[in-house]
Structure formats: C-alpha cells, structure tokens
Amino acid sequence: MEKSLFRFIWKFSARQQIFILLITIISYPITYVLLELPKLIVNDAVQGDGFPRDILGLEFDQISYLFLLCSAFLALVVASNG
C-alpha cells in the first residue's frame, strides 16, 4: 500500500489523469469563446451599426451576421458538452 493518496492515484491511473488534464486544457478556449459570444451577439449584432460586415471575405448584413454568431454559439455549446 502506498503511503500517500496522491502516490496511489498516480501509480494506478497516471494515463487517465494526463488524459483528463489534456481535455481540460483543450476546453479552456472553447469556454472563453462561449462566454464572449453572447456579449458579441447583443452588443455587436443586435445593437451594432456599420453593416454590412466583411468576415473572411464574405459580406454579412445584420440578420445574417446575427445568424452566424448564433450558429457559432450553438456549435460551441454542442462541442463543449460533447
């Protein structure tokens, strides 16, 4: 029997602990964007002006820009909970 709980856990589940750590590190940017997108939707797409907007060479009017941001939000929610 190991003398410390940490050593016991590391001895028998090191690979799983590293996997969980990697998943957590990968999910941080998704979580940040998930918190940032609602602010963009309200402040930029709903209340904003200066349309049409050019994103990656494509022009978006206000409704299509709002649809793009909401679709990105939905995709990130699905990816985050997947």
Side-chain angles (χ1 to χ4, degrees):
M1 185 61 124
E2 296 292 329
K3 294 192 183 228
S4 73
L5 180 62
F6 179 76
R7 204 173 287 172
F8 176 79
I9 292 170
W10 188 253
K11 181 178 179 181
F12 291 102
S13 67
R15 190 175 348 161
Q16 290 89 358
Q17 297 296 321
I18 291 172
F19 179 72
I20 291 170
L21 178 67
L22 290 175
I23 293 295
T24 303
I25 291 171
I26 289 169
S27 71
Y28 277 144
I30 293 172
T31 303
Y32 174 76
V33 174
L34 261 174
L35 294 172
E36 190 69 25
L37 264 176
K39 184 174 77 171
L40 271 174
I41 290 170
V42 171
N43 293 340
D44 205 27
V46 175
Q47 296 176 353
D49 53 354
F51 287 97
R53 299 263 170 102
D54 185 40
I55 299 174
L56 300 174
L58 300 171
E59 282 192 3
F60 292 95
D61 62 347
Q62 190 170 7
I63 299 297
S64 59
Y65 183 63
L66 179 62
F67 183 74
L68 174 71
L69 290 178
C70 290
S71 299
F73 184 73
L74 177 63
L76 286 173
V77 166
V78 170
S80 173
N81 291 321

